[in-house]
Amino acid sequence: MGEFMNKKDQWIMGIETSCDETAVAIIKNGREMAANVVASQIESHKRFGGVVPEIASRHHVEQITIVLEEALNQAGITYSDLSAIAVTEGPGLVGALLIGVNAAKAIAFAHGIPLVGVHHIAGHIYANRLVAEMKFPLLSLVVSGGHTELVYMEEHGHFEVIGETRDDAAGEAYDKVARTLSLPYPGGPHIDRLAHEGEPSINLPRAWLEEGSYDFSFSGLKSAVINTVHNAEQRGEKIVPEDLAASFQQSVIDVLVTKTGRAMDEYKVKQLLLAGGVAANKGLRAALEDKFANNPGIELIIPPLSLCTDNAAMIAAAGSILFEKGIHSGLDLNANPGLDIAIHNDK
Ligand code: KG4
Ligand code: ZN
């Protein structure tokens, strides 16, 4: 028997093109994943050791219609079933963002459905809502290639950044350290793998910053790793890459977990959500589980790996809440590479 399609079902399509993944997803009733398609360009950027913006834009143009169609097929619906279309409006690479924003505007206009602009980091946080219902107040540790933030939320769609990186993001530090060790881009997963084969025997710094600060800094740690490698080379000594990876990872995790724990205590939250590409890190996941999983009264949520790295399901999930709150964008929506997450607050 065919599935009965309830007229009141909410279907949100999400589009994400802020960096090097062309992604389209469809979420039913805010939390059910009906389709999740991600076309990765990593292979095209690898030989340059990082994302090349012009190449990223060109790939998005080539992929977007194919990925859109595949998402509709996966969900078994057509454009006319959609309640709204959500799209990452920023932050990210402007040329890359524009492809998604223009595709979303065309769909919204052609099918007469609301357009909802979503902040990329709000999306990463809302990936958690595909795992468990959110309970407020909550704290989210956001660790990605471009961001390291502690975000406090008192209610849906309201974001307060209580701490952020003052220099490199955690993922950026991972990628730079990986480059120093001649590992391919993106380096995070390679460092993660090596770290599990080594011992954290090399002394590296931890940037705690001023007492009470929830900000982060990873550039000093990154420089210390680079210096360790260069000094060893000059002395003709060999460093064990596994040990260096383990030591670096331990330093990153120590700071992230300690500051998160302090913020959880101070803000008396009900949930801790992990978000962003670095949330795929096995060491970080294990450390958070070890420290907070048995914390009575505080629920720890860690999304599956596919929802940690860039995807559009998270954009549709965040878009669903904005849509319900009546927060829609006009057809003059533009890509905004420096968008502030507070864009969603108090509207
Ligand atoms: O969230 P994301 O997919 O893109 C941004 O919005 O930035 O994050 C990508 C970052 C890259 O820096 C990548 O090296 C890092 O996430 N990453 C990891 C792991 N998997 C991805 N870092 C550490 N350990 C991992 N297992
Ligand atoms: Zn991201």
Side-chain angles (χ1 to χ4, degrees):
M1 261 211 320
E3 202 188 324
F4 173 68
M5 203 178 274
N6 187 336
K7 264 266 167 294
K8 287 197 193 102
D9 280 339
Q10 180 207 70
W11 296 91
I12 307 282
M13 175 181 266
I15 301 183
E16 152 65 39
T17 63
S18 69
C19 191
D20 58 351
E21 330 275 356
T22 315
V24 179
I26 296 168
I27 300 294
K28 185 180 173 186
N29 298 330
R31 299 197 45 217
E32 266 175 68
M33 200 146 69
N36 188 23
V37 185
V38 181
S40 174
Q41 318 172 351
I42 283 179
E43 286 308 315
S44 306
H45 298 286
K46 244 181 192 163
R47 65 193 172 107
F48 302 105
V51 176
V52 183
E54 289 80 2
I55 295 178
S57 307
R58 187 174 309 185
H59 273 282
H60 288 309
V61 171
E62 285 169 8
Q63 293 297 316
I64 189 72
T65 44
I66 302 166
V67 176
L68 279 166
E69 243 171 66
E70 183 162 347
L72 287 170
N73 285 342
Q74 258 186 28
I77 61 165
T78 64
Y79 282 119
S80 60
D81 296 313
L82 292 178
S83 317
I85 175 121
V87 62
T88 307
E89 62 173 300
L93 302 168
V94 68
L97 288 164
L98 273 170
I99 313 299
V101 167
N102 283 324
K105 280 158 73 166
I107 294 166
F109 179 70
H111 300 279
I113 52 173
L115 176 69
V116 181
V118 174
H119 188 283
H120 182 77
I121 296 302
H124 273 301
I125 295 172
Y126 270 86
N128 283 276
R129 195 166 181 245
L130 299 168
V131 179
E133 187 53 274
M134 290 155 86
K135 291 184 197 136
F136 302 100
L138 64 78
L139 184 72
S140 183
L141 172 63
V142 181
V143 274
S144 76
H147 295 259
T148 303
E149 287 168 5
L150 277 168
V151 180
Y152 174 71
M153 291 179 71
E154 238 162 30
E155 55 172 314
H156 273 306
H158 196 281
F159 307 89
E160 193 185 325
V161 179
I162 62 166
E164 63 193 325
T165 184
R166 295 189 184 166
D167 39 60
D168 292 2
E172 206 177 337
Y174 263 97
D175 294 339
K176 287 179 183 164
V177 164
R179 212 170 161 160
T180 307
L181 293 176
S182 307
L183 296 165
Y185 175 85
H190 297 282
I191 298 282
D192 195 10
R193 181 174 41 78
L194 284 187
H196 288 271
E197 295 163 8
E199 289 300 322
S201 52
I202 301 164
N203 199 13
L204 292 171
R206 280 137 178 82
W208 298 111
L209 306 175
E210 319 82 70
E211 172 108 21
S213 170
Y214 294 123
D215 280 351
F216 302 96
S217 166
F218 293 108
S219 75
L221 170 62
K222 173 196 69 187
S223 302
V225 171
I226 295 170
N227 288 339
T228 303
V229 172
H230 288 170
N231 288 344
E233 271 168 10
Q234 276 165 1
R235 286 199 225 100
E237 293 168 8
K238 260 196 101 48
I239 48 144
V240 181
E242 288 83 355
D243 290 348
L244 190 60
S247 308
F248 165 76
Q249 178 142 310
Q250 194 57 55
S251 172
V252 173
I253 292 174
D254 269 1
V255 176
L256 290 176
V257 171
T258 305
K259 293 211 174 205
T260 301
R262 273 192 217 140
M264 282 161 72
D265 289 343
E266 186 183 333
Y267 285 82
K268 305 205 172 13
V269 294
K270 295 199 178 118
Q271 272 180 340
L272 173 65
L273 316 182
L274 186 58
V278 183
N281 187 271
K282 290 196 189 68
L284 177 61
R285 296 165 83 93
L288 289 172
E289 258 160 23
D290 189 46
K291 216 135 182 212
F292 305 125
N294 299 317
N295 209 334
I298 303 183
E299 193 182 354
L300 170 67
I301 304 176
I302 300 184
L305 300 192
S306 60
L307 292 176
C308 290
T309 45
D310 286 348
N311 65 86
M314 66 188 201
I315 301 303
S320 162
I321 289 293
L322 296 173
F323 172 67
E324 278 170 22
K325 286 183 147 207
I327 303 173
H328 303 168
S329 310
L331 284 175
D332 58 350
L333 181 72
N334 203 354
N336 185 345
L339 191 67
D340 187 334
I341 196 167
I343 181 85
H344 293 316
N345 296 352
D346 299 322
K347 277 207 231 164

